[in-house]
Amino acid sequence: MIKITFPDKSVREFEKGISGLEIAKSISERLAQEVLSVGVNGEIYDLTRPINNDANVTLYKWDDAEGKHAFWHSSAHLMAETLEVIFPGVKLGIGPAIENGFYYDIELPEGKTISESNFAEIEQKMLDIAREKHQYIRSDISKTEALKFFTEKGDQYKIELITDLEDGTITLYKQNNFTDLCRGPHLPDTSPIKAVKLLNIAGAYWRGDEKRKQLTRVYGITFPKKKLLDEYLVLLEEAKKRDHRKIGKELELFTFSAKVGMGLPLWLPKGAMLRERLEQFLKKVQTKYGYLPVITPHIGQKELYVTSGHYEKYGKDSFQPITTPSENEEFLLKPMNCPHHCEIYNSKPHSYKDLPIRLAEFGTVYRYEQSGELHGLTRVRGFTQDDAHIFCRQDQLKEEFLKVIDIVLYIFNVLKFDKFTAQISLRDKENKAKYIGTDENWEKAENAIIEASAEKGLNTVVVHGEAAFYGPKLDFMVKDAIGRSWQLGTIQVDYNLPERFNLEYNGSDDQKHRPVMIHRAPFGSMERFVAVLIEHTAGKFPLWLTPEQAVVLPVSEKYNEYAKKVSDLLNNYDIRSLIDDRNEKVGKKIRDNELKRTPFLLIVGEKEVENNSISVRKQGEGDLGEMGIEEFSNYIKDLVKKELIEI
RNA sequence: UGACCUAUGGUGUAAUGGUAACACAUCUGGUUUUGGUCCAGUCGUUCUAGGUUCGAGUCCUGGUAGGUCAGCCA
């Protein structure tokens, strides 16, 4: 007998070799039907795999990530089998479960192509096979046997994977006529897979290596119930509606022009207004935190970036140097603001009493991103960072870091980005050549970030190998309303640039000391931030940000004059308003302006002229009734005040 | 950068290789409106350069731009 401990700490005894499925059955028949995989001492097992020792056991269902994982992993095998049936001779790469579904990397036989027109056939075939209830059978074989098997099958990618594996046993899973190299775990059989949707096709380099062959990646998702698939498809539709590229066009916020150049956004008046409000908002916060504004040019001598190290590291990713005609001097469009700021620091000597010095600039930078990676406003070639560099003493580092975290948290709070994670990116210790700077400084910087994050109680994820080449960083990733994750704010410690630019201050000991630098950008870039904000709010911006807070709708042209008076008065009160004096019925004006997501519609007709009032409609709430103009203005100001929680 | 996909008025869509259509928007006029699309007219288009064909929006090749994903992301 073995002792099985459940998550609630209760302990029960079972026969040695009992399976997760049998344990579930002993609890309830229903649980046995719903359970998908089982955690045994932290390792995920197939439900049918015997448990031979005392163990802590957790049963995972659809609602658990571990359960979904097994479900989708098994689905990937099912899809691979189907693809082998439909495209005989297809070669298989890897096929894991991912956050939403699964994919399989395949190489199609010579001359064959796969496209979305094949999806229906594949989906149907997958369902047919699933319905036949084939078991997923695990088997352990030796490396030699495994190599023999896949050599006979002609799957060169699997052979390569096996060759790289440790010697010893290799696990294979087989269902129906399909056998795959796989660590598992899997479902007991194919029958729970009741709904299948292939999502898209994309290229993917074999083993993520740009220099190697590109395989075709087929994405799909499956569900244990048809209803869940339908819900998921609705969610995808919602995502499309929130796409910032679509809303940006509809609301006339920004545009692109092939003539201007790809990846170079053009901010339209309404988008520019929105962006300026965001900038003013941050400037105000930064002033409170002691930041000093600076302004630097858009180009700098190539030598500047050679000094900073950026040229060596990112020279090929920059717009290539502009060469002056007679002197042959080389200038780069600036890809970073920090070297400029370092030179500002260097413009005069500093005492330890001056520090910290916080230099802030909304600095526009240009990076030659490769064409295929450009995406709406989230990846562009010219963008504006809400950049600042803090020059401080080592003993001030942690406190400064904490203050920056405060700013980021305040901003996220005001904008209701409540679902964010903080990612601490550290150096890959196995590959130190990728980074510049001494071991000692890296240690110091990494510890400062870890300690500051812990002190603020941030929910952090530590990732090794994701640091910038000059230092570790703390990135804030925000999930939008539909669950996609975006990196926005970033805070980075840098011991490298102070060295390279020979930054100094005079200490109390009358000796020269090296300051530490913190790079930080709470928004990240205005472009990406606005894109995420659009998707987060579906274009219904907070009142303080929205380009037009109110539109006055005269009932007929007789009241245009009064409408003008209302709008002027509101603008005097700093309420942003427009008039819709088109020759249309009020009903149409209301509809049109609601589609434009205007927060307040102010209807004026004979009654309102008489009472010197307006009839107010609020977005999402409808008619609020009649109000005086000043009353309305105070009402709005009050709402704005509530949105902008004081620091 | 690469694989794959896409490109039709300002916007969104339609058109077995055989007359490029519809809605919204624009503009003009009518209607004079208190609560969710008033009516009529008007305007304007097959991304670009070639090719196949009696005939190309449709097929082929190059270019450009957009998209999916990978890699990259200071």
Side-chain angles (χ1 to χ4, degrees):
Chain A
M1 299 297 273
I2 54 168
K3 283 201 179 75
I4 298 296
T5 310
F6 293 97
D8 65 358
K9 303 284 177 232
S10 64
V11 179
R12 281 177 58 188
E13 292 207 342
F14 289 95
E15 295 276 335
K16 184 175 158 142
I18 190 155
S19 72
L21 191 60
E22 286 161 334
I23 294 174
K25 252 183 206 151
S26 79
I27 296 170
S28 88
E29 197 55 44
R30 172 146 186 189
L31 179 63
Q33 274 167 25
E34 289 187 0
V35 70
L36 297 171
S37 67
V38 54
V40 179
N41 291 331
E43 196 185 336
I44 314 295
Y45 272 33
D46 302 312
L47 282 177
T48 50
R49 184 166 162 192
I51 302 168
N52 291 322
N53 296 302
D54 290 357
N56 290 306
V57 161
T58 314
L59 296 168
Y60 294 117
K61 299 192 290 182
W62 178 256
D63 291 335
D64 303 299
E66 292 85 351
K68 280 198 181 84
H69 191 274
F71 193 92
W72 284 331
H73 201 167
S74 297
S75 303
H77 282 220
L78 177 62
M79 181 172 78
E81 170 170 11
T82 308
L83 289 171
E84 281 191 346
V85 173
I86 294 178
F87 300 96
V90 67
K91 289 185 181 135
L92 301 169
I94 54 163
I98 52 176
E99 197 175 343
N100 286 303
F102 55 88
Y103 66 79
Y104 220 110
D105 284 347
I106 59 170
E107 186 189 349
L108 290 161
E110 228 13 70
K112 288 274 182 188
T113 55
I114 181 170
S115 76
E116 290 185 16
S117 56
N118 301 103
F119 283 3
E121 185 192 358
I122 299 167
E123 287 164 5
Q124 191 52 52
K125 186 82 192 160
M126 281 173 72
L127 286 174
D128 290 345
I129 299 175
R131 212 171 293 130
E132 290 162 19
K133 199 173 179 174
H134 297 289
Q135 290 186 331
Y136 287 93
I137 300 159
R138 179 188 165 102
S139 60
D140 293 325
I141 60 171
S142 71
K143 192 164 167 174
T144 327
E145 279 177 284
L147 282 173
K148 182 161 170 275
F149 177 84
F150 285 104
T151 307
E152 276 165 19
K153 200 177 163 196
D155 252 338
Q156 78 221 40
Y157 298 107
K158 296 292 177 192
I159 295 168
E160 186 179 328
L161 289 173
I162 294 166
T163 311
D164 288 354
L165 284 175
E166 302 271 318
D167 287 327
T169 51
I170 304 278
T171 48
L172 300 182
Y173 279 83
K174 178 174 191 293
Q175 93 269 359
N176 198 17
N177 300 314
F178 177 76
T179 305
D180 200 359
L181 168 72
C182 186
R183 201 181 296 125
H186 284 282
L187 304 177
D189 63 70
T190 57
S191 67
I193 302 171
K194 295 248 166 53
V196 174
K197 181 82 188 160
L198 297 199
L199 297 168
N200 54 348
I201 294 178
Y205 297 109
W206 170 236
R207 310 197 95 177
D209 186 342
E210 205 174 337
K211 293 183 187 67
R212 305 196 62 177
K213 191 166 173 71
Q214 192 159 15
L215 306 181
T216 305
R217 180 168 294 180
V218 184
Y219 287 85
I221 193 163
T222 51
F223 294 91
K225 284 184 192 145
K226 175 80 166 56
K227 190 167 149 258
L228 289 171
L229 171 62
D230 293 340
E231 284 170 9
Y232 182 73
L233 294 178
V234 169
L235 200 73
L236 285 185
E237 282 305 307
E238 283 299 308
K240 273 189 202 151
K241 281 187 208 149
R242 284 168 175 271
D243 191 317
H244 75 275
R245 293 166 300 188
K246 182 172 153 61
I247 292 178
K249 194 177 268 177
E250 274 169 18
L251 299 187
E252 299 181 349
L253 300 173
F254 61 88
T255 189
F256 289 90
S257 148
K259 266 211 179 84
V260 171
M262 59 167 99
L264 300 170
L266 304 172
W267 290 80
L268 302 173
K270 286 178 188 176
M273 263 190 266
L274 180 96
R275 172 175 153 166
E276 275 179 6
R277 293 207 161 262
L278 273 173
E279 291 182 359
Q280 282 159 14
F281 163 68
L282 182 57
K283 278 180 185 164
K284 206 172 143 194
V285 178
Q286 289 182 164
T287 305
K288 286 190 184 173
Y289 276 88
Y291 285 74
L292 305 168
V294 293
I295 297 171
T296 65
H298 285 236
I299 63 173
Q301 288 208 78
K302 179 178 150 187
E303 201 50 36
L304 180 68
Y305 301 101
V306 172
T307 303
S308 72
H310 290 112
Y311 188 78
E312 191 197 343
K313 197 84 186 170
Y314 293 106
K316 63 175 183 344
D317 300 323
S318 301
F319 281 94
Q320 289 312 292
I322 306 160
T323 309
T324 56
S326 41
E327 288 89 359
N328 285 322
E329 292 167 303
E330 289 186 302
F331 290 88
L332 246 61
L333 271 172
K334 78 172 165 190
M336 287 295 286
N337 302 302
C338 23
H340 292 77
H341 291 187
C342 285
E343 284 305 289
I344 289 179
Y345 179 90
N346 261 347
S347 66
K348 66 169 196 181
H350 296 281
S351 148
Y352 71 97
K353 294 176 198 163
D354 299 339
L355 302 180
I357 291 171
R358 311 179 187 91
L359 303 180
E361 172 178 22
F362 283 84
T364 306
V365 297
Y366 301 88
R367 296 175 185 179
Y368 188 74
E369 308 284 11
Q370 298 183 84
S371 57
E373 72 193 340
L374 300 172
H375 177 92
L377 276 188
T378 56
R379 281 306 287 277
V380 287
R381 284 177 166 174
F383 57 97
T384 302
Q385 296 178 312
D386 54 328
D387 212 357
H389 296 96
I390 300 169
F391 303 86
C392 65
R393 305 190 305 259
Q394 178 62 40
D395 62 290
Q396 295 169 320
L397 179 64
K398 198 163 121 193
E399 193 191 334
E400 285 305 306
F401 208 93
L402 289 168
K403 281 187 195 164
V404 178
I405 295 178
D406 280 338
I407 294 179
V408 175
L409 294 181
Y410 171 67
I411 289 168
F412 284 9
N413 190 13
V414 166
L415 290 163
K416 301 193 171 50
F417 286 169
D418 40 11
K419 285 180 234 152
F420 64 87
T421 51
Q423 177 179 313
I424 299 179
S425 298
L426 303 179
R427 178 171 65 147
D428 174 7
K429 289 206 169 72
E430 306 300 311
N431 195 359
K432 289 183 181 169
K434 269 169 70 183
Y435 309 94
I436 48 188
T438 65
D439 271 2
E440 191 201 348
N441 282 344
W442 272 90
E443 293 285 321
K444 273 196 258 174
E446 292 186 348
N447 289 335
I449 292 186
I450 292 164
E451 282 168 29
S453 308
E455 215 159 291
K456 284 288 161 194
L458 292 178
N459 172 25
T460 54
V461 186
V462 176
V463 188
H464 293 269
E466 284 291 310
F469 73 91
Y470 53 75
K473 56 182 185 168
L474 174 64
D475 293 325
F476 290 83
M477 329 284 277
V478 169
K479 280 206 171 182
D480 65 17
I482 47 175
R484 284 177 300 186
S485 196
W486 303 85
Q487 189 218 300
L488 295 176
T490 177
I491 317 175
Q492 315 181 356
V493 179
D494 186 354
Y495 287 95
N496 173 58
L497 281 185
E499 289 283 342
R500 288 178 163 257
F501 281 89
N502 202 22
L503 307 184
E504 293 178 333
Y505 66 88
N506 282 311
S508 53
D509 55 1
D510 200 25
Q511 299 290 307
K512 300 282 186 201
H513 295 273
R514 189 76 75 216
V516 188
M517 244 174 114
I518 299 174
H519 309 241
R520 42 107 279 174
F523 292 146
S525 86
M526 298 314 292
E527 284 73 9
R528 178 177 289 180
F529 194 84
V530 168
V532 173
L533 187 66
I534 290 170
E535 307 211 348
H536 195 81
T537 60
K540 291 176 189 161
F541 300 111
L543 199 52
W544 66 274
L545 261 182
T546 199
E548 282 129 25
Q549 294 170 317
V551 173
V552 187
L553 310 184
V555 163
S556 85
E557 73 184 26
K558 274 191 285 189
Y559 310 109
N560 282 356
E561 206 177 310
Y562 179 68
K564 174 95 171 67
K565 193 183 129 196
V566 170
S567 175
D568 285 350
L569 208 51
L570 287 175
N571 290 341
N572 276 342
Y573 288 134
D574 283 329
I575 308 294
R576 301 185 290 279
S577 70
L578 287 180
I579 305 169
D580 184 352
D581 58 1
R582 289 176 306 158
N583 190 6
E584 297 288 352
K585 284 175 83 174
V586 171
K588 182 168 175 61
K589 291 191 194 179
I590 290 175
R591 184 183 144 78
D592 286 351
N593 283 288
E594 293 214 337
L595 283 178
K596 285 190 203 155
R597 299 158 171 87
T598 312
F600 288 96
L601 303 182
L602 312 176
I603 293 142
V604 296
E606 191 172 348
K607 194 172 62 183
E608 286 79 10
V609 172
E610 246 171 55
N611 299 341
N612 202 26
S613 68
I614 48 184
S615 285
V616 180
R617 272 183 86 90
K618 187 177 181 186
Q619 180 187 57
E621 289 182 28
D623 202 347
L624 298 186
E626 223 172 311
M627 270 190 213
I629 295 161
E630 201 178 333
E631 184 190 353
F632 174 69
S633 145
N634 289 334
Y635 170 69
I636 294 229
K637 281 184 182 160
D638 212 45
L639 288 176
V640 167
K641 208 176 278 174
K642 276 182 199 148
E643 284 178 349
L644 293 171
I645 315 135
E646 284 298 311
I647 306 170

